[in-house]
Structures are given as structure tokens and as C-alpha cells.
Amino acid sequence: MTLSVAHAREDASPMRGLLPLWVGVGVYALFLLGGNRLLIDPDTMWQVTVGQWILDHRAVPETDVFSFTMRGQPWISTQWLAQVVFAKSYALFGWSGPVVVSAAAIAATFALFTKFLNRHLSESTTLVFFAAALVLTVGHLLARPHVLAMPVMVAWVCGLIAAADRRDAPSFWLLPLMVLWSNLHGGFVFGLVLIAPIALDAVVAAKANARRSLVLRWAAFGVAALIAACLNPYGWNALLAAQKILGLGGALPLIMEWRAADFSSVGPLEICLLLGMGLALWRGIRLPPLRIVLLLGLLHMALSQGRAGEMLALLAPLALAAPLAGQIGGNEVLHSRAAPPARGVLFAGLAVLVMAGTFAYASVHRFEPHPHSAPVAAVAELKKLNLERVFNDYDFGGYLIANGVAPFIDGRTELYGEKFFVDHNAASGLMEPENLFRLLEQYRIEATLMRTQSAATKLLDHIDGWQKVYADDIATIHVRKTGAVHTAEPAVEPKAK
């Protein structure tokens, strides 16, 4: 009785129901202040360049126009709309634009996430889930298209789960979200896949006499969602593009964000899993069978692919909120007691403060990509050489595209394919040294741009026919030069220093 009274008093607070707002503002401020961290991925650079190409040509790419190894090969960008947003914001505000857009998308994601959970769970429980989700996703929160699609993903799954909780079918008003998602990021295919298990959960939990009607309504929604997903410049081909990525086979484990979870040292995923299992054992939590299946599916994805950790963190709590509410305590009365006019004034005031703070901070703080992934000085020297065939480090591809230099390889792994990517990785890392020399000859490479500390760079220092012409702490340039003989540690030509 005492607990119920205390809970009712908490719900009666005038600020009750505003937790999503405070979470959104706090997350936005956090990522704005740490904005340079959003720019540490070199892929951001080529995303902006592709977006600018789309704006300049008023068309989406159908073939590769950026590399020299795959030029003219079929390639589509299922992220075209996000790339345009990044390019336009960059053109208007420099790197402040992509940072602000990404921080706003992340803030919206967690505000929607918190709002849904807070409908079922207490504020304290909601904040625990929020903290866990933030910790699990922070490593993949970057100024890249998937971040702009994250609030759409959360809103889409909230709609599906809410319908299943009501033993009902989703509203067709959700379909514009699928249209938007299919133009922002290729992950929309996962949104389509989720329809079936959530529909099955709703049907199984419904009354027997309502199941047939419910099956038909979910099926109609599924067909409509599939049609909505094809409302993009590439139509059906956007769905098939996801298959190319998943078909990369041996290349995926070589990409950091696609690697399986590593438990050789204690990390956020292990801590969250152990705490979750401990809570389930302590409280004796029981879940509907199909929610368990959905949870295990998300967990399997997170364990097998590091980048799927964000789906586990953001989507699993949405599926578990309603079943957990009756077992660990949930909200029993209306969330908000604040009068609508007061809430409107609060929202307007916060919006003005956030905008003013953004402009003030952006005017005194310089946002720029991390220099570790941007070989600025080396590429400036490389462009003076007027060479067309450069063998580059994988991480340098995005910077080369952004600076008008055709790369050997870049972050568009689905374009290059499994064999090409694996061969390049084996060559640059000298796992198979003969691969390096084969690729240098096969593609008639005129120069190499590799990390100074890479194994391939160290080897080329001692290979006849290659002259080191530039080196700094980040990158080294070797050019093919007949007659160059290296019998000792080669020196950099004085004029190139």
C-alpha cells in the first residue's frame, strides 16, 4: 500500500512524462560537446562526397564513378537521402552541419526510446534501460547514414510492438516511416523482417475467435510495407542490395564493426548481459515465448556482428517493456499532470535555448575529422605527383574520394566484393606478401599511400624499384621508380619533407 501511494505521488508530479524531453536534450548536448568523436570514421568523408555528387547531378549513382579499380561497375547507394542531408549540411555549415544533424538524430532516437518505455515502466527502470542502451550503442554512434535512420527504426518498431501489445494490427500510418527508412539506409530490410515474428506474437496472444482476422490484417500490412520499401529511386534493387553485403562472407570478419563479440576482456555487452541474467534469476521474470524468441534473435545478431549491438540495445527493451511492467513494477496512472500551455511554453523555451547554444558552441569550436584517419599532408603531396593509380590503405579511401583522388579501395565493401577485399587486406597486412606484389603489378600501381607503421610500408622501404618520397606519422608515399635500389633504410627526399 505504501509503495502504491509513493508511486502515485511520483506520477502526480507536474514534470511527470517529461523524461523523454530531458533525455533528448541531454543526449543532444552530450554529442554536440563531443562532436569531433562523431567524425572519427573515415567513411563520413565519402558519404558527404557521394551526397554532393547526387546534388550536382540531380541523380543517384547506378555505377561507380569514384575508384579506378571498379569504375563503371554496378553500384547503388541505398543511403542516398542521408548522404544528401550530410552533403547539404556540410555545404552550409562545414563539419558543424553533419555533427549537429547526427547529434539531433541520436537525441531523437533516445527520446523516442525513453517515451515508449516510460509508458509501461517506472522512470527509474526506464533510465536503467536508457543507460544500458547508450553504453552499448555509443561505439557505433557516428556521423554516418545509419544514425539518421535510427529514430525511424525505433519509431517503426515501437509501432509494431504497441500493436502486438494491444493484440491488434499496426496502423497503416506507419508506412511513411518505411518509405523514409528505405531511402535513408539499407537497414530497412531488417524492419521488414521484424514484421513476421511480431505479427506471430500478436496472433498467438489474441483470442481464438479474433486470430483469423488479425492474420489477414497483419498480412495486408506486411504487403503494404514491402511496397512502401520499394518507393525509392532503385525500387526492388534496394532490397537486393542488402544481400550483397551479407554475402561478403570472409570479408565481414575483417571489418571492425562486423566482427563477432569478443569476451577476452570485460566490455559493456558482457556487463549488460550478466546484469540482465542476474535480474531475471533474482526476480523470476517470465516472458511470452515469442518475445523470448525475438530477444534471442537480437542477442544472436549482437554476438555474431558487433554493429548489431545497437539493435539489441534499442529494440529488445521495447519488446520486453509490457511483459516486464507487471513483474518489476510499471506506471499505473497518467504520466503527465502539466497543463498543455505550460508544456508548450517549456518546449518552445528549450528549443530556443538548444538552438542558441548550438550556434554559440559551433561558432567557437572547430569540428573536423580525426587526423588519424585523414592523411592531409600526404595527400597534398600525392596530388602534386599527378598519378592516377594509387594503392591505398583501406582507411584512407574515404579521404581520397573527398579530395578528388580515385582510390584503390574504400569503405564501399559491397562494391569491391569478398575476394578483392580479402586480397587487399592480406596484401596490406602482409599475411600473404605475394598478394602485395601481385596487386601492384596487376593494377599497374604507380604509387602507394599506406599507414607509416603498416607492414606493407616497412617492406616497400626495402624493395628495389620503389622510392619513398614522403613520410609523416600518419602516412607514407612510395612511388614506382626504375633503378631505385634500397640496401639500407631509405631517406625521404629533402624537398618532400
Side-chain angles (χ1 to χ4, degrees), residues 106-384:
I106 295 169
T109 298
F110 283 101
L112 290 169
F113 174 80
T114 305
K115 182 177 181 180
F116 183 88
L117 293 185
N118 205 209
R119 290 175 182 172
H120 300 280
L121 304 171
S122 66
E123 285 190 343
S124 57
T125 305
T126 298
L127 285 173
V128 169
F129 277 116
F130 158 70
L134 184 60
V135 168
L136 288 176
T137 59
V138 69
H140 200 220
L141 297 179
L142 305 161
R144 283 173 44 189
H146 73 276
V147 162
L148 301 193
M150 279 173 55
V152 181
M153 176 184 72
V154 170
W156 173 261
V157 176
C158 282
L160 298 185
I161 294 294
D165 289 338
R166 298 191 308 268
R167 313 296 184 251
D168 199 358
S171 167
F172 279 76
W173 287 108
L174 278 179
L175 296 178
L177 289 175
M178 179 51 66
V179 176
L180 179 59
W181 195 357
S182 70
N183 288 277
L184 283 173
H185 189 259
F188 75 93
V189 176
F190 181 67
L192 293 175
V193 171
L194 282 176
I195 294 174
I198 296 175
L200 186 57
D201 174 70
V203 170
V204 169
K207 294 180 180 179
N209 59 359
R211 288 175 180 168
R212 182 175 180 180
S213 171
L214 196 55
V215 167
L216 293 176
R217 291 163 62 200
W218 271 96
F221 179 82
V223 171
L226 183 60
I227 294 172
C230 293
L231 298 180
N232 63 75
Y234 300 110
W236 180 263
N237 287 328
L239 289 165
L240 301 180
Q243 183 180 359
K244 292 189 67 175
I245 296 176
L246 296 176
L248 287 172
L252 291 180
L254 302 176
I255 304 173
M256 181 67 70
E257 63 187 64
W258 284 96
R259 290 177 183 171
D262 180 8
F263 294 106
S264 60
S265 59
V266 177
L269 179 59
E270 181 179 358
I271 292 172
C272 289
L273 290 179
L274 292 176
L275 290 176
M277 289 189 291
L279 176 63
L281 293 171
W282 177 43
R283 298 297 296 267
I285 292 172
R286 296 172 61 87
L287 299 173
L290 288 169
R291 299 290 172 105
I292 295 175
V293 171
L294 184 58
L295 174 61
L296 293 178
L298 291 169
L299 178 59
H300 168 73
M301 290 175 58
L303 293 176
S304 59
Q305 301 170 1
R307 64 179 297 163
E310 67 195 46
M311 295 180 182
L312 174 68
L314 292 171
L315 305 186
L318 305 181
L320 303 182
L324 288 179
Q327 300 178 62
I328 63 175
N331 289 333
E332 299 173 356
V333 296
L334 292 176
H335 289 177
S336 177
R337 302 296 185 183
R343 292 171 66 87
V345 171
L346 177 63
F347 292 162
L350 276 176
V352 171
L353 286 174
V354 168
M355 291 177 63
T358 298
F359 280 108
Y361 185 66
S363 65
V364 299
H365 182 78
R366 179 181 173 83
F367 294 107
E368 57 185 353
H370 196 285
H372 186 67
S373 59
V376 180
V379 171
E381 292 297 325
L382 181 66
K383 294 176 75 171
K384 295 176 183 178

Side-chain angles (χ1 to χ4, degrees), residues 10-32:
E10 180 187 6
D11 286 339
S13 168
M15 304 307 289
R16 184 67 182 160
L18 295 179
L19 180 62
L21 175 64
W22 302 126
V23 164
V25 171
V27 169
Y28 176 78
L30 175 66
F31 282 91
L32 181 67

